[in-house]
Structure formats: C-alpha cells, structure tokens
Amino acid sequence: MAQALARGLINSGRITADNIIASSPKRDEFFLDQCKAMGLNTTHENAEVVQKSDVIFLAVKPAHVSKVASEIAPALSKEHLVVSIALGITLRNIESLLPTKSRVVRVMPNTPSVVRAGASAFAMGSACRDGDAETVERLLSTVGFAVEVPEIHIDPVTGLSGSGPSYMFAVIEGLADGGVKVGLPRDLALKLAAYTLLGAAKMVLETGVHPAQLKDDVQSPAGSSVYGMHKLETGGLKGILMDAVEAATNRSKATGDKALPRDFRNTEIEKEKE
C-alpha cells in the first residue's frame, strides 16, 4: 500500500520522488530497493523520516504500530501531521502512543491508487488543525477519490472500498473465464471483462443514475442479459458481496482491537457514537 501511494503521488506529477522518504527494517531490504528504483530517498531509521518530513504516513501492519510509534515519538512535534493507514487501529489508539496533541489522521486507501483511480476515506484526530483535512484530501486526491468521514465509518470503508478491489478482480476473472468457456481467447476475454467493469463504474459515477435502473436498462424482454442476471440472482451474487463487505469490516475491527490491548477499541467508538 505504501508503494501504491508513493507511485500514485509521483505519477500525479504534483509530488516528486525526491520529496518522499521511505523507511523499512534491514530485513526488508527488497522493499527499499524497490523504493530506490522509484527515485525515493530511503533509510532504516524511522526517526529520520520524521526529521525530514512534514507529513508522515504510517504504512505498517497493526501489530507494528506500537513499536514504530515509540521510535518516531521523540522526534515528533506539533508541526508534523501523522497519517495512519494501519488496519483497524483507532485514532485514540495512535494518539495515546504519541506526544500530547499530536495531529493524527486515520486513512483507508485502496490499491488502485497506483493507477490514480483509488478510493480513500479519512477521519481527523482530535488535535488536527484547520487546514489539515484539506492537506490530506489534496494528497489523496492526487491518486483518486478522497473523502472525509467520521471515524465510525472507517472500518466499513475498509470492508467496502479498502478490500473491494480484490472482490472486483475476482469478478473480472470470473467474467473472463466465462468468456473463455464460450470460445473467446483469454487475452481478449480479460480486456473485455475489465473494460466492462470500468465502463459500468463510469456510468454510475457520471450519470448519477441508480445501478438498479442502469441494470434494468440493459435487460430487454427475453434478452440475453436477463437470462444471465437470473443465474446471478440464483447464485445470490448481491448477498455474497454484502457478506464479503460485512466480513471484512468485522475483521478490520477485530484486528484493531487485538493489536493493542490498551487501545480505544472499535466497540467503544460505536458505543460513544450511540
């Protein structure tokens, strides 16, 4: 995800590679080699990233948040903006690991950011200043769509758009396999499937018409589309997708709750919201 964001930011033309610095443990030298190939500055010291940056992205696994926070905390000041994309880790949790009044933002991006077609949602921490939301939106919008949401929505966003690309890749693969089954060459089937999802998404976004109506518009009486939809409905496609979003959302909450026992848990956020 860190690489996807870095590539997207660079490809946007608004941020140059030499203005980005990445850190990683020595055992992950391969990751830093990839960053160097992109033109990024690299280091093994997380504190050095803080010293040389205004905005710091925490792109680590949930279990590593506490360790990384302890390493950057001594170098952190109120002038730094910390942006976390760690799965399930709450704002309160991160704030408790950093100096008082640290400016923290929680983000859930997704991998299409690498082709500047990402969908990111972010929630602002309690010490953030006026203008911080605009800064985060400006950075994330270079790699796609970005929107501010209440923190209560970040885990559901994880289940939907954060995990959603994997669902859609499976849909593309399934459509392509179907094309191959009925006689299409594999390469052509993949392109047709991918462009079909791309076009359908653009129609939803650009026309503002509800997808149910767009679906019905394709289905002429006794036509091929309605026969295909009958099979999808029989298989419970929409219900399966809803279950996938719910399962991924719950996994995000559970991961955050498990990673740091001292945290302000997702379940407590929900109670506070109520």
Side-chain angles (χ1 to χ4, degrees):
M1 194 65 249
Q3 286 185 335
L5 285 171
R7 288 182 187 278
L9 290 168
I10 295 167
N11 291 340
S12 74
R14 298 186 189 179
I15 297 178
T16 58
D18 59 0
N19 280 325
I20 303 175
I21 180 170
S23 65
S24 187
K26 292 182 179 179
R27 65 177 179 275
D28 294 330
E29 194 67 38
F30 177 70
F31 168 74
L32 289 187
D33 287 342
Q34 291 179 315
C35 291
K36 290 176 184 176
M38 294 164 57
L40 275 59
N41 300 294
T42 62
T43 179
H44 293 301
E45 302 297 329
N46 289 325
E48 183 180 350
V49 174
V50 176
Q51 293 163 1
K52 295 182 177 180
S53 305
D54 298 313
V55 181
I56 300 98
F57 279 82
L58 296 182
V60 298
K61 296 291 186 182
H64 299 154
V65 169
S66 182
K67 180 177 185 297
V68 172
S70 69
E71 292 172 353
I72 68 172
L76 206 65
S77 76
K78 295 179 182 178
E79 299 308 309
H80 291 104
L81 183 61
V82 179
V83 181
S84 170
I85 63 172
L87 176 69
I89 305 299
T90 65
L91 286 167
R92 179 72 66 85
N93 207 333
I94 299 169
E95 290 170 345
S96 72
L97 299 169
L98 300 176
T100 304
K101 300 297 182 181
S102 291
R103 296 152 60 202
V104 181
V105 183
R106 182 181 173 190
V107 179
M108 176 45 61
N110 64 9
T111 53
S113 296
V114 74
V115 292
R116 298 180 64 193
S120 304
F122 61 93
M124 308 303 294
S126 59
C128 285
R129 301 174 179 174
D130 290 342
D132 284 347
E134 288 75 13
T135 296
V136 174
E137 184 174 9
R138 186 168 62 251
L139 288 171
L140 295 176
S141 65
T142 64
V143 296
F145 171 71
V147 62
E148 182 181 356
V149 299
E151 186 178 18
I152 191 71
H153 289 164
I154 293 293
D155 288 314
V157 166
T158 302
L160 176 56
S161 57
S163 305
S166 61
Y167 315 154
M168 293 304 99
F169 294 144
V171 170
I172 290 172
E173 182 183 29
L175 287 171
D177 285 347
V180 171
K181 182 178 181 181
V182 295
L184 292 176
R186 171 69 63 182
D187 290 348
L188 175 59
L190 276 172
K191 285 184 178 179
L192 289 172
Y195 273 109
T196 296
L197 263 71
L198 175 63
K202 285 177 68 67
M203 286 187 71
V204 171
L205 293 172
E206 295 180 10
T207 66
V209 178
H210 193 281
Q213 181 61 53
L214 293 172
K215 172 177 66 69
D216 288 346
D217 291 344
V218 179
Q219 297 175 18
S220 55
S224 59
S225 295
V226 74
Y227 272 72
M229 278 305 306
H230 184 205
K231 283 292 184 180
L232 292 177
E233 294 290 356
T234 300
L237 174 66
K238 286 189 288 186
I240 291 172
L241 289 173
M242 291 170 67
D243 287 346
V245 171
E246 183 178 33
T249 297
N250 291 337
R251 177 58 178 170
S252 177
K253 293 177 181 179
T255 300
D257 285 348
K258 182 179 179 181
L260 296 170
R262 295 182 305 147
D263 71 349
F264 184 67
R265 295 176 178 270
N266 287 283
T267 50
E268 291 175 339
I269 290 179
E270 292 175 354
K271 290 178 182 177
E272 186 176 83
K273 182 69 175 179
E274 293 172 357

